[in-house]
Amino acid sequence: DDVELAFVWNRSVEKVQGQVAEKFILSDLDKFAERNPDLIVEVAHPSITEDYGEAFLDVADYMVGSPTALANQKVETKLREKASMCGHALYVPAGAFWGAQDIKKMADRGSLKG
């Protein structure tokens, strides 16, 4: 019911400093498991899913925010197999993850320029 933040990681730590309380900033992604997350939501880059997806699923449910990573069939297969064996869920949002509704609204209003 209540949601509690476990960590925020950015490859450039200075980007999140001042935006997120220091206690939530994770400077070394290899140490994510120490934060005991229940759900990890990736919104960084497809390479994070490729490099960490299986490890994330070892400790938490995992939402792939950069589903482009799953265009690589080997990555998709590994993650689906891992999720089926480890007891954690793999979530893949349908369609574009961020801003799709706003882009549609702009197109409907005719304000989208391209």
Side-chain angles (χ1 to χ4, degrees):
D1 297 60
D2 289 330
V3 176
E4 181 181 322
L5 185 63
F7 69 86
V8 173
W9 175 83
N10 189 303
R11 68 177 159 242
S12 302
V13 174
E14 63 276 1
K15 300 266 185 180
V16 293
Q17 289 174 325
Q19 305 295 317
V20 177
E22 286 292 322
K23 69 181 183 176
F24 296 121
I25 296 175
L26 181 65
S27 58
D28 182 354
L29 191 54
D30 289 328
K31 296 183 179 182
F32 72 89
E34 295 173 8
R35 300 296 183 100
N36 299 311
D38 293 319
L39 170 67
I40 297 173
V41 179
E42 174 275 317
V43 291
H45 191 273
S47 66
I48 299 303
T49 292
E50 293 171 17
D51 296 342
Y52 289 91
E54 289 180 278
F56 288 164
L57 284 165
D58 278 332
V59 300
D61 292 345
Y62 180 46
M63 180 182 286
V64 180
S66 300
T68 310
L70 304 179
N72 179 329
Q73 189 62 51
K74 289 180 184 177
V75 172
E76 179 183 357
T77 299
K78 285 191 321 184
L79 292 178
R80 288 185 186 276
E81 288 174 356
K82 182 69 165 186
S84 70
M85 294 184 311
C86 71
H88 290 109
L90 175 66
Y91 298 101
V92 182
F97 194 44
W98 300 109
Q101 292 174 339
D102 294 324
I103 292 169
K104 170 114 174 61
K105 287 177 192 175
M106 290 172 66
D108 291 345
R109 285 194 304 256
S111 62
L112 187 62
K113 308 276 188 225

